[in-house]
Amino acid sequence: MVSGLLTETLWGRGDETTYQIVDINTNQYNSANRLTLARSPSPALNLCVRKRLPEGTRRMINKIVQSMADAMAGIKDGSTVLLAGFGSVGQPNALIDGLIEQGAKDLTVAANNAGSGHVGLARLMELGRVRKIICSFPRSSDPVVFETLYRAGQIELEIVPQGTIAERMRAAGAGVPAFFTATGVGTKMAVGKEHREIDGRTYILENALYGDVGLVEAWEADRWGNLTYKLAGRNFNPVVSMASKTTIVQTQHVVGLGDLHPDNIHTPGIFVDRVLHIPYGDPGSF
Amino acid sequence: MVSGLLTETLWGRGDETTYQIVDINTNQYNSANRLTLARSPSPALNLCVRKRLPEGTRRMINKIVQSMADAMAGIKDGSTVLLAGFGSVGQPNALIDGLIEQGAKDLTVAANNAGSGHVGLARLMELGRVRKIICSFPRSSDPVVFETLYRAGQIELEIVPQGTIAERMRAAGAGVPAFFTATGVGTKMAVGKEHREIDGRTYILENALYGDVGLVEAWEADRWGNLTYKLAGRNFNPVVSMASKTTIVQTQHVVGLGDLHPDNIHTPGIFVDRVLHIPYGDPGSF
Amino acid sequence: MSDSEFKPFNRVQMAQRAATDIPEGWYVNLGIGIPTLVADHVPLDREVIFHSENGILGMGPAPAKDAIEPWLINAGKQYITLRSGGSICHHADSFAMIRGGHLDLCVLGAFQVADNGDIANWATSENDTAPAVGGAMDLAAGAKRLWVIMDHTTKDGSSKLVTKCSYPLTAESCVKRVYTNLATLDVTERGFMVLGMAPGLTLENLQARTDAKLHLPG
Amino acid sequence: MSDSEFKPFNRVQMAQRAATDIPEGWYVNLGIGIPTLVADHVPLDREVIFHSENGILGMGPAPAKDAIEPWLINAGKQYITLRSGGSICHHADSFAMIRGGHLDLCVLGAFQVADNGDIANWATSENDTAPAVGGAMDLAAGAKRLWVIMDHTTKDGSSKLVTKCSYPLTAESCVKRVYTNLATLDVTERGFMVLGMAPGLTLENLQARTDAKLHLPG
C-alpha cells in the first residue's frame, strides 16, 4: 500500500474498471498498485479520470456560474457582442435579458437579425444601448424597433452576407485576420473592398469579426464548458464561441464531466468562459 | 383510403411511430391518412423517412462501391491527392494500396508525413509515382524512401506548417482561395509570400490547397456518405473530405441510413463521393 | 394568335418544371417563395438532398401540426423535418458547403435576371435604407448552378428578363436557367435561349414581353 | 565559488519547475522531449487541460501497457489516455485553438532562444535538405505564451541563449520564459531576466555560459 494522500486514475475497459493508485508525494503511476472493479456506468470509452480524494475538498476548473450577475460581470460599455441564434432557435434569450439588466451601453452587436418585437435584442436597441448592428437580415416578422431607430439615424447598420458573417467569426476564432471570398463580388457589398483575381476568378477581402463578448445557447454543458447543441440550435453558436474573448453560455442541461462523449462534443470548453444553467427555453413561436 | 401508388412518411415520437400516407399522384401529405404503430428501433429523434414502396424497386443514392477498382476509377496521372491520417491512426491504408494498384503517376501528394518504411505512401513514392510531396513532417520512424528520393533529386518537397496545411485544406473546401496567417512570419516559410500588417501584427498570405482526389478513413459510413471517425482517427479526414473534388472513403463499418445521429455526423455526405467497406484496420504499431 | 389565347404556368407548375429537371443525388438549396415548392414536386422515385443555410442537410417536408419539433427550422424559419441520413452542422460549415461549391444547385426567386446571368433579388433600390440580404449572395456566388423561378414580368408588365439589371445586383454572371410563368430559358453565351413556352404562346409574343433578346437553340 | 560546485537541474527538475508555474485551468500544449514530462509534474490539486495538435483536448497520462486504446495517440505519436471532459476535433479546428490564440501556454524545446524572444527549434541549418517543422511554427506564433525548456548550452558548451539565432527561426519574438538546466529566465524588453539559478551557481558563472546579456529583476 502506498502511503500519503492518494490519487486515483480510473480506466474503463470492457466490463471492468481499473483504479490505478498514484502516490501524491512522488506523483508516480505504478502499475503494481491497481484495483479492478466491476464496470462503472460511465461512457463506453477508455477514459482516464485523475482526481484527488476526497473530491469535495479539491479545487477544480468550474466554469459554471451561479447567477446571471456573475455571468454578465465585467461587460464594458463599447463592447462588441456576438449574438448566436437563428430565428428563435439556439438564441440565448435569458442572456440577452441579462445583458439588458447589466447595463452595458454603446454596444456593437453582430447577429443574423436585428431583433423582433420589443423583447430581447429589440429591447436592448430600444433602450438606446446599441450603437451599431452587424447583421445579414435586419428584417424580421416585427422589425419595428430597428426600423424606427434606423430611420431616425440612431443606429448604425452594417449589412453582411450571412455566410460572410459566419466565416468572419470563424476566422476570428482561427487566427485568420482576413480572407478572400467570392460572395458579394460585383455588388454593393464589394464597394471599397480589396479585389483580387485568383485563378481566373475575382474575390474580395473580408476581415475577421472578433467579439469582446459572445452569447451562446447550448443544450448540454459540463463544468469544463464543453457544449452540445440540439438540431438547428447549433447555427452560429460554435463560431460565436470561437470568436469571442469572453464566451458566456446559457445551457438547458448541466451534465457531469465525462457524460458527453468525446467524439461528439460540438464546442470544446477551450472556447467557453462562463456557463449559466437556464433549465428552460425551447424555441417558441416567431 | 388513398388510391394509387402510396408513399409513406415515418414519424418517430416518444414511444410511437406514425406512418403518414401520401398519395403519389397528388404528392400531398394528408393528416387524415395516418397510422400509428409501436415505436421502431430507430434513432430517438423526430425523423422523416420518405420512401416509395416497395423499397427494393426504387433507385437510391448509394455512394457505397463494391470494389477497390470502383473506388479508384478515373484517378488521372498528374492528380493532386490529399491523404488524411496522423501517424498510423485514421490513415486510409487500404485506399493507398488501391492507388498503388490503380497505377496513376506523376502525383502530387499532400499529407502530414512523407511515408515510413516501404509500405503505403513510401511504396507509392518508391515506385516513382509521386512527383511532389506537400507535408509538415517528412521525417518518420523510417523515412528511408523519401530521403533517398529527395537526396537524388527525384522528388519535389514543399514543407508547410501543420496548421497551415490543415487550414489550407479547410479553405479549399470553404470557398476561401487565400487567407492571412501569422504562422511562419519571419521564417523560411514566409520567403516570397505576400506580407501584410493588420492591426499591428504581420501576417503572410497562404493559398487554399485543393485536391483532385482525397483519401479518407472513417469509422462508420452510410449510403449517403455520412461519416463518423473514432477518437484521434479524425485528424485530417474532415478537411481532406471538404477540399477534394473526388473524396474516396474506406470505412470499418457500414451502417443503415438514419443510424448515425444527425447531431453527431462528423463529415456530412455532401463532401463524400465513394465509400468502400474495409472491415478492418485498427491502427497498428508505428 | 392573340395574346389572350395562351395559358401561363401557375406557381405549382413553375415549381414542377424545375423539380422535374433535378436529377437524383443532387444537393439543392431552395430559396423562399416558389422555390420552396420545388421540394414537394421532385419525382418520388428520386432522392434529392435539400440543404438549408442554418446548418441543415437532408431536410424533409413540413411536419404535421401535431408533430412539430421546435428545434428544427429552415432558413425561412418554417418548421421542417429531417430525413433519415440528415445531418446538422454549424453556420460556417453550412456556408462552406455553399461557398465551397458543394451544392449542385440553388433555386432562387429574383426581381431581375440579365442575359449575362446577373441576378438582382435582394433590394429594390440602390437607396433601400436597410436591405436584407441573408444568404442570397453566398448562394448565388457559391452554388455550382443557379436557377431562378420568377414571373416573367412585374405586375405592371415590365420584363424581369433584362439586358442589364436596374436593381442592385446579388451576384454577377451566375444564373444558368430561368423558369418563368411564360417560358423556360437557359442563360448562354449568346444570351437567353428559349427551351420551352407556356401552351399557346408564340416566340413573337414572348419576345414582346421580354426586354432582353431571345434566342432559339441551334 | 568554482564552476564545479553548483548542481545543474536534471530533466525532471526542469520539467517540475515549469509545471509548478502553470496555474489551474490553463490550456497547455507540450512539445516533444522534456516538455512532455511537464504533464506528469503539475501539482495534483490543479486541473490543467492538455492539448495535442492532432485534435485532442484533455489529454491524460500514458496508459498502462495492457490498457492501450490504439485510436488515441498524441502529436508525438505516443499512446495516451483521454481525461473525463476530453474531446476530439479535426485538424483545422485543433489548429484554430492554437492559431486563434486560445492556448494559454505552449512549452517547447529549442536549439536557440534570442533575447528578443526569437526561437529556433526546427532546423539546424539553412541548408537542411528536408527539415521537419510539424506544428512548431503554429504553436510558437499562436499560443498566448511560449515557454522553452532546454539545456543552457550545447554539448560542446556553446550558449543556446543568444543575441541572435544562427539557426533558422521558428517564430519571432514570442518566447516569454526559458527553463534551462542552469536557470529560469524571463524574456523582457531589456532581454533575459534571471528569475532563479541552479543551487550554487552565481550570476557571474551563469553569464560566462551565456552569449546574451543577463539582467536581474529590479
Side-chain angles (χ1 to χ4, degrees), chain B residues 16-179:
Chain B
E16 291 177 342
T17 298
T18 300
Y19 294 82
Q20 190 167 20
I21 312 297
V22 179
D23 184 337
I24 196 170
N25 295 311
T26 65
N27 199 14
Q28 293 300 305
Y29 292 80
N30 178 344
S31 64
N33 296 321
R34 298 244 298 277
L35 175 66
T36 296
L37 301 174
R39 182 154 182 71
S40 76
S42 287
L45 258 184
N46 286 350
L47 292 177
C48 165
V49 183
R50 188 179 178 188
K51 51 183 178 178
R52 175 185 276 201
L53 299 175
E55 168 80 7
T57 65
R58 69 175 299 249
R59 294 175 59 213
M60 296 187 302
I61 297 170
N62 191 358
K63 298 186 179 179
I64 296 168
V65 297
Q66 296 305 317
S67 71
M68 183 60 83
D70 288 346
M72 292 293 138
I75 300 180
K76 293 197 180 102
D77 293 353
S79 294
T80 295
V81 179
L82 309 186
L83 190 51
F86 187 87
S88 68
V89 180
Q91 183 173 279
N93 292 316
L95 296 182
I96 300 169
D97 288 345
L99 181 59
I100 290 169
E101 181 74 16
Q102 191 261 359
K105 57 183 191 297
D106 195 28
L107 301 172
T108 295
V109 175
N112 192 58
N113 290 69
S116 185
H118 294 268
V119 297
L121 175 54
R123 177 79 184 138
L124 190 69
M125 293 191 294
E126 196 165 32
L127 292 168
R129 306 258 296 281
V130 181
R131 185 179 66 74
K132 177 179 178 181
I133 186 136
I134 302 171
C135 72
S136 83
F137 209 84
R139 293 193 198 120
S140 68
S141 53
D142 181 7
V144 58
V145 170
F146 167 75
E147 295 202 340
T148 304
L149 288 169
Y150 188 71
R151 266 191 247 104
Q154 291 173 339
I155 196 165
E156 202 180 322
L157 172 69
E158 180 182 346
I159 295 275
V160 183
Q162 194 173 145
T164 298
I165 293 192
E167 188 68 17
R168 287 177 62 192
M169 290 181 185
R170 193 260 168 203
V176 172
F179 59 90

Side-chain angles (χ1 to χ4, degrees), chain A residues 44-199:
Chain A
L45 257 183
N46 285 352
L47 292 178
C48 164
V49 184
R50 188 179 178 186
K51 52 183 178 178
R52 175 184 277 201
L53 299 173
E55 168 81 6
T57 65
R58 68 175 298 249
R59 295 176 58 214
M60 296 187 301
I61 296 170
N62 191 357
K63 298 186 180 179
I64 297 168
V65 297
Q66 296 304 318
S67 72
M68 184 60 85
D70 288 346
M72 292 293 139
I75 299 179
K76 293 197 178 103
D77 293 353
S79 295
T80 295
V81 178
L82 308 186
L83 190 51
F86 187 87
S88 68
V89 180
Q91 183 174 278
N93 292 317
L95 296 182
I96 300 169
D97 288 345
L99 180 60
I100 289 169
E101 181 74 15
Q102 191 262 358
K105 58 184 191 297
D106 195 29
L107 301 172
T108 295
V109 175
N112 192 59
N113 290 68
S116 185
H118 294 268
V119 296
L121 174 56
R123 177 80 184 137
L124 190 69
M125 293 190 295
E126 196 165 33
L127 292 168
R129 307 257 296 279
V130 181
R131 185 179 65 74
K132 177 179 177 181
I133 185 135
I134 301 172
C135 72
S136 83
F137 209 84
R139 292 193 199 120
S140 68
S141 52
D142 182 7
V144 58
V145 170
F146 167 76
E147 294 201 341
T148 305
L149 288 169
Y150 187 73
R151 265 191 247 106
Q154 291 173 341
I155 196 164
E156 202 180 322
L157 173 68
E158 179 182 346
I159 295 276
V160 184
Q162 194 173 143
T164 298
I165 293 192
E167 188 68 17
R168 287 178 61 192
M169 290 181 184
R170 193 261 169 202
V176 171
F179 60 90
F180 285 99
T181 177
T183 295
V185 170
T187 77
K188 288 164 76 167
M189 302 296 181
V191 176
K193 286 180 184 156
E194 176 175 339
H195 286 59
R196 182 171 306 195
E197 195 177 309
I198 301 174
D199 293 334

